Amino acid sequence: KRRLQTMVNRLSKPGIVVWLLLLATLTGCVKKSGDGIVFRKKADLSPVVCKADSIALPFLFYSERWFLSHGDLYVLNSRATPFLTIYSLPEQRVRTQWGNSGRGPHEFPIPSLGEMHEKNRVAVYSNSLNRMEMFELRADSLVYLSAFRFPIWMKRQRNLPKPYTRLVQYNDTLFVGTSFLPRQIAVELLDMRNEQIVDAVDFPLRPADGGYSAPFECKAALCAGRMAIAYRYIDRIELYDLTPKGFCLTHVLGSDSTQEELCAQDRDDEMYFYYSDVVCCERYVYALWQGVLTGNLGKRESRIEIIDAENGETLRILSSDHYLTDIVVDEKAGIIYGHDPLNEDCLYVFRIPA
């Protein structure tokens, strides 16, 4: 009885309050909705300063589209001819340069680069031609494999697909495409073999009736059955499970506060710019955060949030010593590569602290 009375006394109202506050701190203010979605507030972690090394590049690095696959950088610069450069990071040499703008065989008037996870595979596509061509890198040259067409969006106007600005490989024939229209943003799972849309992300946040999509601009990244979406003008990241059947939202990190009113009033310089890039790897999500007014971009060093891809917990925040617009990650080597648009002849290298 005495032991029971002691426990009751310890769990008095002040004690319960203290324990609840401690529990909330340890769990990062986690809430779970009725449909199983976990909501987390932004983690209040002290940034770890991460100094950069640099690699001098023998070509003009304009990061229109680029990705890292098995040690090779694939860089698209539609302003140059050839427009595609494949660069080996371990060997620090250009493996090949390829691609002409045009409408002839294997030419593209406005080329775009698909982000591939399969080793030595290259996908170049054109929305206006409704064509994606697959190549394989063999002995420092590209060999044509096959061609695909996108699902038709507007049959009345030359059978055009949606204007996909980004395309990321899920498997041999499934890709995730992102398109931006004035009043709609779409992230869709595309079956390229059958020219069908399998599923589309059901965004929790949408423009108001008659509103524009610009305040909801985002970037999607995927790997190993998971996808991360980071928003440019909303301090928010969403994590999804991804299967051949579609998307399922599992975690939301950050805010649901939008800046629609400022955008509608053409006060873009007063809008805060949050995430400029996101990379999804097998274990972690790496989100490039700016957190400044749009008019002040480039005036402050960028931060990189490292998030557990399975439970959505922010594990650490790295403070780079540069302004970066884009990153790629070699997770196995523990290296983040970053691009500074003011220095187009080098690549910055950040080693993730142990």
Side-chain angles (χ1 to χ4, degrees), residues 178-190:
T178 303
S179 61
F180 296 95
L181 298 170
R183 299 186 186 276
Q184 180 189 32
I185 294 176
V187 175
E188 298 166 326
L189 182 61
L190 309 176

Side-chain angles (χ1 to χ4, degrees), residues 181-184 206-216 260-261 263-265:
L181 298 170
R183 299 186 186 276
Q184 180 189 32
R206 300 172 179 271
D209 291 340
Y212 288 95
S213 62
F216 299 85
E260 284 186 278
E261 186 175 345
C263 181
Q265 297 172 2

Side-chain angles (χ1 to χ4, degrees), residues 12 63 99 120 125 127 131 136 142 158 181 195 203 211 230 235 313 317 323 325 327 335 351:
S12 60
S63 64
N120 292 333
Y125 69 97
N127 290 302
R131 187 176 81 225
E136 184 175 22
L142 290 185
R158 297 183 296 150
L181 298 170
E195 300 179 24
F203 287 103
D235 198 3
E313 181 184 359
I317 298 174
Y323 164 62
T325 56
I327 57 172
I335 297 175
R351 300 190 180 277

Side-chain angles (χ1 to χ4, degrees), residues 85-346:
T85 299
I86 302 176
Y87 181 80
S88 170
L89 284 171
E91 300 173 11
Q92 295 195 16
R93 69 177 181 91
V94 174
R95 294 191 62 182
T96 190
Q97 290 185 307
W98 179 93
N100 293 317
S101 297
R103 294 183 175 271
H106 309 311
E107 293 182 344
F108 303 84
I110 305 177
S112 293
L113 181 65
E115 183 177 330
M116 305 297 288
H117 295 299
E118 193 173 356
K119 186 177 181 179
N120 292 333
R121 289 298 171 94
V122 178
V124 182
Y125 69 97
S126 167
N127 290 302
S128 61
L129 297 179
N130 189 8
R131 187 176 81 225
M132 180 180 74
E133 295 190 1
M134 301 288 293
F135 300 86
E136 184 175 22
L137 181 62
R138 299 178 188 170
D140 295 346
S141 63
L142 290 185
V143 177
Y144 172 76
L145 298 177
S146 58
F148 295 95
R149 293 172 62 86
F150 292 92
I152 297 301
W153 174 52
M154 297 183 69
K155 293 184 178 180
R156 295 181 181 179
Q157 298 186 16
R158 297 183 296 150
N159 291 332
L160 289 177
K162 286 185 177 178
Y164 294 106
T165 58
R166 292 188 58 81
L167 200 64
V168 187
Q169 182 187 33
Y170 175 70
N171 62 23
D172 287 346
T173 58
L174 295 179
F175 286 76
V176 172
T178 303
S179 61
F180 296 95
L181 298 170
R183 299 186 186 276
Q184 180 189 32
I185 294 176
V187 175
E188 298 166 326
L189 182 61
L190 309 176
D191 182 346
M192 300 297 289
R193 175 175 293 167
N194 298 303
E195 300 179 24
Q196 295 179 348
I197 297 175
V198 178
D199 194 21
V201 170
D202 185 12
F203 287 103
L205 301 179
R206 300 172 179 271
D209 291 340
Y212 288 95
S213 62
F216 299 85
E217 188 172 345
C218 60
K219 183 174 181 180
L222 58 125
C223 180
R226 293 189 176 90
M227 183 176 75
I229 290 180
Y231 289 84
R232 179 169 291 185
Y233 300 110
I234 308 173
D235 198 3
R236 177 185 178 97
I237 290 177
E238 296 168 359
L239 303 181
Y240 293 78
D241 282 342
L242 177 59
T243 70
K245 294 183 179 180
F247 310 96
C248 179
L249 178 62
T250 60
H251 295 80
V252 174
L253 293 72
S255 170
D256 60 0
S257 177
T258 69
Q259 303 182 76
E260 284 186 278
E261 186 175 345
L262 290 174
C263 181
Q265 297 172 2
D266 292 327
R267 296 160 60 189
D268 295 1
D269 286 349
E270 299 178 46
M271 295 175 66
Y272 270 86
F273 192 109
Y274 293 106
Y275 293 98
S276 62
D277 202 2
V278 63
V279 177
C280 189
C281 296
E282 291 188 9
R283 297 179 61 189
Y284 306 116
V285 171
Y286 303 80
L288 185 60
W289 188 83
Q290 310 296 343
V292 297
L293 290 170
T294 303
N296 291 334
L297 274 174
K299 298 180 181 179
R300 195 175 81 176
E301 294 83 359
S302 307
R303 293 183 178 182
I304 301 169
E305 300 174 354
I306 302 179
I307 301 161
D308 190 301
E310 184 172 351
N311 63 27
E313 181 184 359
T314 301
L315 302 178
R316 62 172 59 180
I317 298 174
L318 305 182
S319 178
S320 71
D321 53 353
H322 287 273
Y323 164 62
L324 306 172
T325 56
D326 312 85
I327 57 172
V328 295
V329 180
D330 184 341
E331 189 168 74
K332 291 183 179 179
I335 297 175
I336 299 172
Y337 298 95
H339 174 244
D340 179 350
L342 299 179
N343 295 280
E344 294 187 337
D345 59 350
C346 73

Side-chain angles (χ1 to χ4, degrees), residues 51-57 92 322 338 345-350:
K51 298 292 184 179
D53 295 323
S54 64
I55 298 174
L57 298 174
Q92 295 195 16
H322 287 273
D345 59 350
C346 73
L347 187 68
Y348 290 103
V349 182
F350 300 89

